[in-house]
Amino acid sequence: MAGAVKEEASCTHYKRHCKLLAKCCGEFFVCRLCHDDVKEHTMDRFAVTTVKCLQCGTEQPAANVCKDCGIVFGEYYCSICHLFDADKKQFHCCGCGICRVGPKENYFHCFTCNFCLHNDIKDTHKCVQNVSRQNCSVCMEDLHTSRTSVNTLLCGHLLHRTCYSDMWKRGFYRCPLCVHSMTYMHDFWKDLDDEIAMTPMPEAYQSATVMRRQGIQTRKSEWPSRDLSATLGRETGKRRPFELRF
């Protein structure tokens, strides 16, 4: 059947030319996220067996090509997740159990973290058991199946990239879960040193010192320590056995 794809096919989540039959409620939706937006339950993507062509309206078993009009439902199709979408170099990860945006050769699946990570951190990332099987500690939304990219922190924990950026902009530089620095702070410390060097110490505080109280527990630093007295504008040349963390 000739003609353009109907306007009702539009979806803010995926680009496709079919609807999926949700077995949970017996209704057709362009995608599982469209379903979840209007229902009080979630749609099981793996249970989909029937789709409806948005070109000719034919209901048929799940596949990527309409059996009647021949239109291709999606440039990318996964027969496991029943994901139809534009080509974004997606690939299905058997370890994660879902599709990821690739290219596939740029990622590896860490079986301890139970998550796909970029090859750039393959030999340096810190493993955390099933790290993605939890909610983001900032927005409390799911990490494993999120369509939002995630950042891997130095401590091994994950945050949505948008949440990570928001924290950084607001001046929070430590992991909400373990309170370790989210990234290497060398440049940040240097900026503080430069600012302190340009700020004269008020005369009333020129002889002030800072002493560490007994009994205060501090985390062992994995990165270069910082002299607390430097933040008061006095370089004593003596390093304290702890690090300021943000």
Side-chain angles (χ1 to χ4, degrees):
M1 182 176 179
V5 177
K6 299 177 183 178
E7 285 297 320
E8 65 178 358
S10 62
C11 170
T12 58
H13 309 110
Y14 302 104
K15 185 178 180 180
R16 56 181 57 166
H17 298 156
C18 66
K19 285 187 174 182
L20 313 178
L21 177 63
K23 283 192 172 182
C24 50
C25 50
E27 299 178 39
F28 282 97
F29 296 87
V30 179
C31 76
R32 64 181 180 86
L33 300 174
C34 292
H35 167 281
D36 295 350
D37 286 343
V38 298
K39 298 293 184 179
E40 295 183 354
H41 57 273
T42 58
M43 177 177 170
D44 183 359
R45 72 184 86 182
F46 306 106
V48 172
T49 57
T50 304
V51 299
K52 178 192 288 186
C53 178
L54 287 169
Q55 180 85 359
C56 63
T58 302
E59 296 183 20
Q60 56 200 285
N64 195 31
V65 179
C66 178
K67 66 179 184 180
D68 280 0
C69 67
I71 191 173
V72 176
F73 294 143
E75 295 175 351
Y76 172 81
Y77 170 60
C78 174
S79 59
I80 300 174
C81 298
H82 302 294
L83 173 62
F84 303 82
D85 198 10
D87 184 10
K88 301 172 184 174
K89 307 298 181 185
Q90 300 97 321
F91 64 97
H92 183 85
C93 174
C94 294
C96 289
I98 57 176
C99 291
R100 299 290 187 195
V101 176
K104 183 177 182 179
E105 58 269 19
N106 290 348
Y107 294 86
F108 73 99
H109 184 85
C110 175
F111 288 93
T112 301
C113 297
N114 210 1
F115 191 65
C116 284
L117 300 170
H118 200 277
N119 289 335
D120 288 348
I121 60 173
K122 185 173 184 178
D123 299 322
T124 59
H125 80 283
K126 182 176 180 179
C127 287
V128 176
Q129 190 75 35
N130 293 325
V131 67
S132 71
R133 300 310 205 273
Q134 57 185 312
N135 292 337
C136 173
S137 55
V138 176
C139 68
M140 301 308 295
E141 296 292 333
D142 180 59
L143 285 166
H144 187 72
T145 60
S146 175
R147 296 179 70 245
T148 303
S149 299
V150 300
N151 273 24
T152 305
L153 310 184
L154 290 178
C155 56
H157 293 123
L158 305 177
L159 290 179
H160 286 124
R161 184 163 297 175
T162 50
C163 296
Y164 176 91
S165 297
D166 287 344
M167 286 189 65
W168 191 265
K169 291 175 182 177
R170 295 172 185 270
F172 297 99
Y173 308 122
R174 59 186 178 183
C175 172
L177 294 177
C178 66
V179 202
H180 277 75
S181 300
M182 294 197 298
T183 187
Y184 292 106
M185 302 295 291
H186 304 91
D187 292 340
F188 181 79
W189 295 141
K190 184 179 183 304
D191 290 342
L192 280 183
D193 286 336
D194 292 343
E195 183 176 350
I196 290 168
M198 296 168 54
T199 305
M201 171 64 72
E203 184 176 350
Y205 297 101
Q206 287 184 1
S207 60
T209 59
V210 177
M211 298 182 64
R212 179 183 177 187
R213 284 181 173 273
Q214 295 294 327
I216 295 179
Q217 294 184 350
T218 56
R219 294 181 178 275
K220 182 179 179 181
S221 174
E222 300 174 11
W223 302 282
S225 60
R226 179 175 179 79
D227 190 345
L228 182 58
S229 63
T231 63
L232 297 178
R234 297 183 67 249
E235 290 288 354
T236 65
K238 182 180 179 180
R239 292 293 180 183
R240 305 287 184 181
F242 61 92
E243 177 195 22
L244 291 177
R245 293 185 182 277
F246 289 82

